[in-house]
Every structure is written in C-alpha cells, then in structure tokens.
Amino acid sequence: MKRRNFLISPPALALGAAAAPALALSAPAIISPAARILPREGKGPRIVICGGGWGGLTAARYLRELIPNADVVVLDRNPTFWSGPMSNKWLVDIVNTDFVQHDLMRPANRYGYKLLQTEVTAFERDKKLVHTTHGLIEYDYLILSGGIRDAWDAWFGDDQRAIEHTRRHYASAYIPNQQMFGLKQRVKDFKGGTLVMTLPPPPHRCPPSPYERACLIASHIKKNKIPGKIVILDPKPKIAPIGVGYKQAFDELYADIITHVPNARVQEVDPFNKKIKTSAGELKFDEAIFMPPHQAADMVWHAGLIGKDATTGKPTGWADMHPHLFHAHSDDNVYFVGDLMGAISPQFGHYPKSGHVANYIGRIVAKYIAQRVAGQEVKAMLPDNLCYMMVNTEPQEEISVKFEYEVDAKGQVNQTQIDMDVRSGDLVKEDFAWARGMFSDFLAI
Ligand SMILES: Cc1cc2nc3c(=O)[nH]c(=O)nc-3n(C[C@H](O)[C@H](O)[C@H](O)COP(=O)(O)OP(=O)(O)OC[C@H]3O[C@@H](n4cnc5c(N)ncnc54)[C@H](O)[C@@H]3O)c2cc1C
C-alpha cells in the first residue's frame, strides 16, 4: 500500500443520496486523497458541509428543500450520529442507546443529499477545494459545522503522554464518539471515593449540561448507596445558567454527595498520581471527568479562519465571522454553523453552544445561501435557545433555561435569559417532546 493510497472496504465508506443512487461506490475501491472525488451533479450550486452533527445535518436538509437543484454533500468522520442532548440521561439508563445514536443514511436518503464518511483534513479556499482522507471535493459554498475540540494543550502543553492518559481514562465525552461508552462504563464501575468534574471556562459546549451530569451521576450514587462524592470544580464565580435551580437540587437532593467549588480555575493536573491543583485549592481524586477549555473544531484552524483577539493578537479559539450573516469575515463563501461559531455580541459574547442553536443556525444559513443563489437580498435572522436539564430521577424532574434575542438601536444583538428554577415533571415531558421534534426535523425519525 502506497503512503498516499489506501483501500476502502465497504463499511468504511457510507455514501448515500436518494436523488443520485448511482453514486454508491462499487467497493473495494482504491481512492487517493490527492484525487478529485464526487464529481458535481446537475446545474445547481455544490454545497459541501463539513460535520454531520446537529448543525450540519439541519443545514443539509433545508438546503435541499430551499435549493432543489443544489448538489449537497455532508462529510463526517463517524458512521453514526450521536446526540449530546439526552446523552447524560443515557449515562444513567434513563434512555436507551437507540434514543441517542442514529443512522446517518436515513436523513441522507430522505432529503436527498450525499453523505461521505471521511476525515476532513485541509482546505484550499483559493481553489474551493476540501481535502479529505478519501480525496479532494469541490465546492461553491462551504459550511463548517465540526463542533468543538478539547484544548488539552492548555493544561499539558505538548506533553502527549499526559494528554493521551487523560483522554483515555478521564474523557468527558463532550465530542460525539466512542468515548461515551467508556464514560458510561466508568460511571458503572465507580465504587466510591471522590469523583472530580472540571468545567471549562466560558464559552463552552452546553453550559448547563455538566451540572445536569453531576445531578444524574449523584442520583445513581444515591440510589445504589455508593460511598462516593462528586466535587465540581467550576472556574465561574457561581453556578450558571439556572443557578438557583441547580443550587436547590444540589442542596435539597444531593447535599451529602455534590460539592460545588466556585472560582476553581485549573492550574495543574497530574493524571498519573490523580492530583489536581486549582485557584481554589488542591485535591486528590479517585475518578474524574475532565473538561479542558473548549475551542472550535480543528477544521476551522485548518481553514485559517480562527479569530484573533483585537488587543493581544492571540487566537480567540473560535471562528472569525460576521455576527449576523455567519460567513467568514475574509471569505463570504464559507459559513459557520453550530458550536464552532465566534462571538456575536459585546453584551453576551457567544450564542449558547447548544444543539437547539446549532439546529436554528443550520436553518438560517440554508436560507442565507438560498437567498444568495436566487440573487435576493440576504435578510439577517436571529435564533432562540431552549435547554432542559434533568436534576432528579425519582421522581423525574427537570429545570430549564430559555434565551431570546433582539437587535438594538445600535444594531447589536442583545440576549434575555429566562431561568425556570422550579423543578417539575412537566418539564421532563416538554424535554422529550423537544428532543423528538428535533430528531424528526434533521434525522427524519
Ligand atoms: C452531555 C451533553 C448534553 C447536552 N445537552 C444539550 C441539551 O439538552 N440541549 C441542547 O440544545 N444542546 C445540548 N448539548 C450541546 C449539543 O450537543 C451541541 O451544542 C451540538 O451538538 C452542536 O452541534 P454542532 O453541529 O456544532 O456539533 P456536533 O453535533 O458535535 O457535530 C459536529 C460533527 O462534525 C464531525 N467532525 C468534526 N471534525 C471533523 C473532521 N475533521 N472530519 C469529519 N467530521 C468531523 C463530528 O464527527 C460531528 O459529527 C449537550 C452536549 C453534551 C455533550
């Protein structure tokens, strides 16, 4: 096997399109990463979406609907979709695996876009080319929707041994992949002692969800009478969002299990000797769920589209983009959808990095591209956000947070946050209805 060529067996390559079944590859096939693959189809624009998660799959569906002759291609490294939302509930067996893990071919076939299981590795934006491990793919418009990456280097520099050890033993599974099963096994195997959870500094993926995870693991500890404690090391000065609701849950349901430590910024981690030092003190742990700072997925770095801090000139870690139109400042053929997006407003910074927002922005970006293709004026649109969080399992009760947005007289987007701090069973029903509605929207379930 030559270094630049490799053999693909059929399961390694998922390729589907209801509108173009002839594209299914006859495998095994030799494909070179340097060869052009997926020739354009029809006369419509070619839109390549890098990342088939909450945002990317939504954009794909609506692009196919709004621009019927568009040649839409979704690229994802994973063979299946794994949902972040509801995954904390899956960790403690409130929902089954088939509630959070889904077939990617179903929406591809239903909505008529192409799907390729591959790794996006680089871009030649001047030639409008995406590099993948399977070959080069042309585009007219490019959507980057790869989610986040864990910035382990913020803790360990280039100490790859420490990074690998931490990833293997203490991963948070905040990025959809097989880490979820490892994490679930660790929760099941936890027989007692101190379980430490670190929260990343804002902005990060789904801010209320680490507290939900703490509550659900605490409910598992309580139910199974495990002699264990959870220590949440939080860099923020207080719990947020839904701070009152979470504090009540910690105090009223898990007083002897959960300790929340504010202002705990991680300074040193020794994963081998199970020690962590923060600005709020040092701790030894038996088990850990570690979240280093989150940043935009590697693909934004590969595309050279990471923002720079206006004062320091250092990378912001997030996409450099127009705050209302969501395309790159330096390249209006490249759009951003989902968690990798950069700051929106001086008032609140980033849109919440949630599946709800990723879905909303996916729809908005599909509209923006459709308006451009039709030669129409692009009209800026705003999303909203809604997150439900389970805090109690016996009985099942949730709290929630809602965000609304409006543009002020200066043209800046302002945010209103509405916390629902009173836990209730009604919110559980709303949550499941929300999740089913979302899955129906972009997974065709
Ligand atoms: C525990 C937990 C609970 C959550 N709870 C909620 C909730 O209740 N409500 C809510 O709204 N949100 C929630 N979220 C947040 C939600 O999961 C994310 O905000 C959402 O997934 C963001 O969508 P996205 O499309 O930006 O990224 P993702 O959904 O992560 O999709 C990114 C995709 O890009 C692919 N990818 C990345 N890089 C490459 C590459 N180089 N090549 C090929 N493919 C690549 C990945 O495989 C992935 O499929 C939760 C998240 C977690 C982890």
Side-chain angles (χ1 to χ4, degrees):
M1 192 190 294
K2 285 186 190 160
R3 203 169 165 272
R4 291 169 65 86
N5 294 322
F6 50 90
L7 193 66
I8 300 162
S9 58
L13 187 68
L15 190 61
L23 266 165
L25 285 189
S26 55
I30 304 282
I31 296 183
S32 155
R36 291 195 186 216
I37 56 169
L38 299 187
R40 285 163 182 268
E41 289 229 331
K43 295 208 168 104
R46 157 63 73 82
I47 303 158
V48 175
I49 301 173
C50 299
W54 277 71
L57 294 182
T58 307
R61 174 197 166 158
Y62 286 97
L63 281 164
R64 287 288 297 130
E65 281 182 19
L66 293 168
I67 317 174
N69 67 353
D71 182 13
V72 177
V73 180
V74 174
L75 310 175
D76 202 286
R77 59 161 71 107
N78 285 330
T80 53
F81 170 87
W82 190 284
S83 175
M86 312 309 270
S87 67
N88 283 333
K89 298 172 187 83
W90 170 83
L91 272 185
V92 292
D93 294 328
I94 287 166
V95 298
N96 294 328
T97 304
D98 62 8
F99 200 87
V100 286
Q101 189 177 32
H102 297 283
D103 182 11
L104 281 167
M105 294 300 287
R106 185 206 312 257
N109 286 328
R110 174 76 66 85
Y111 302 124
Y113 53 81
K114 295 182 194 113
L115 173 70
L116 180 64
Q117 188 194 340
T118 192
E119 180 76 22
V120 173
T121 54
F123 301 91
E124 282 178 86
R125 288 192 287 113
D126 52 337
K127 295 184 187 150
K128 294 193 171 176
L129 279 178
V130 181
H131 288 235
T132 75
T133 41
H134 290 76
L136 306 177
I137 301 171
E138 293 174 8
Y139 66 84
D140 297 310
Y141 295 97
L142 179 67
I143 295 179
L144 300 186
S145 50
I148 56 160
R149 74 177 188 186
D150 285 327
W152 292 111
D153 57 329
W155 286 7
F156 299 119
D158 61 0
D159 183 348
Q160 292 305 321
R161 197 173 144 256
I163 292 175
E164 205 35 53
H165 186 85
T166 307
R167 209 185 255 143
R168 184 169 313 149
H169 296 283
Y170 305 120
S172 68
Y174 259 57
I175 297 171
N177 55 23
Q178 294 305 315
Q179 286 180 346
M180 288 305 302
F181 289 98
L183 175 60
K184 186 163 186 163
Q185 196 57 50
R186 276 156 50 212
V187 171
K188 295 231 158 203
D189 290 347
F190 182 61
K191 295 289 178 281
T194 302
L195 188 165
V196 164
M197 284 182 62
T198 61
L199 266 63
H204 66 87
R205 173 164 275 187
C206 196
S209 62
Y211 306 116
E212 177 192 54
R213 182 178 282 184
C215 287
L216 293 179
I217 297 176
S219 79
H220 163 79
I221 288 175
K222 192 169 155 183
K223 191 163 134 196
N224 295 290
K225 300 190 173 45
I226 297 164
K229 298 198 178 311
I230 299 173
V231 179
I232 305 172
L233 299 175
D234 193 341
K236 300 190 292 300
K238 57 180 187 179
I239 302 166
I242 346 178
V244 173
Y246 272 124
K247 178 136 184 23
Q248 281 168 357
F250 294 171
D251 293 348
E252 293 167 14
L253 304 172
Y254 311 115
D256 48 351
I257 300 176
I258 295 181
T259 305
H260 175 259
V261 184
N263 297 311
R265 287 175 298 281
V266 173
Q267 292 171 334
E268 275 175 49
V269 180
D270 179 347
F272 305 105
N273 295 302
K274 300 187 176 181
K275 283 196 272 191
I276 182 162
K277 186 174 163 195
T278 74
S279 48
E282 287 186 41
L283 201 70
K284 276 204 67 103
F285 59 86
D286 302 290
E287 183 53 86
I289 297 176
F290 280 145
M291 290 187 216
H294 288 169
Q295 292 178 338
D298 287 340
M299 61 176 68
V300 188
W301 302 77
H302 295 329
L305 294 174
I306 288 289
K308 287 213 169 74
D309 184 275
T311 324
T312 64
K314 287 186 181 161
T316 59
W318 304 100
D320 181 28
M321 48 167 250
H322 191 293
H324 302 166
L325 300 178
F326 310 144
H327 60 64
H329 269 132
S330 56
D331 186 342
D332 68 1
N333 295 314
V334 182
Y335 284 84
F336 301 103
V337 170
D339 287 2
L340 49 65
M341 293 168 68
I344 301 297
S345 156
Q347 185 223 10
F348 61 89
H350 292 233
Y351 280 138
K353 298 194 180 297
S354 74
H356 187 101
V357 168
N359 169 269
Y360 216 126
I361 302 285
R363 281 185 277 152
I364 292 176
V365 162
K367 279 211 177 108
Y368 287 170
I369 294 176
Q371 285 165 347
R372 277 180 68 179
V373 168
Q376 296 165 357
E377 185 195 347
V378 175
K379 295 193 186 110
M381 295 170 66
L382 299 171
D384 62 19
N385 186 41
L386 184 58
C387 280
Y388 298 93
M389 296 285 135
M390 187 170 280
V391 290
N392 195 11
T393 58
E394 290 181 337
Q396 290 185 2
E397 291 175 320
E398 299 201 2
I399 54 181
S400 74
V401 59
K402 193 173 174 183
F403 294 88
E404 291 171 350
Y405 298 95
E406 60 180 9
V407 179
D408 68 15
K410 290 187 203 148
Q412 283 176 358
V413 182
N414 288 336
Q415 172 179 277
T416 307
Q417 177 177 334
I418 304 150
D419 288 349
M420 287 290 295
D421 292 300
V422 180
R423 52 182 188 270
S424 80
D426 286 347
L427 290 176
V428 179
K429 287 188 201 133
E430 283 183 29
D431 186 11
F432 277 80
W434 170 85
R436 289 200 172 94
M438 285 284 164
F439 293 160
S440 148
D441 184 52
F442 66 89
L443 293 170
I445 292 168

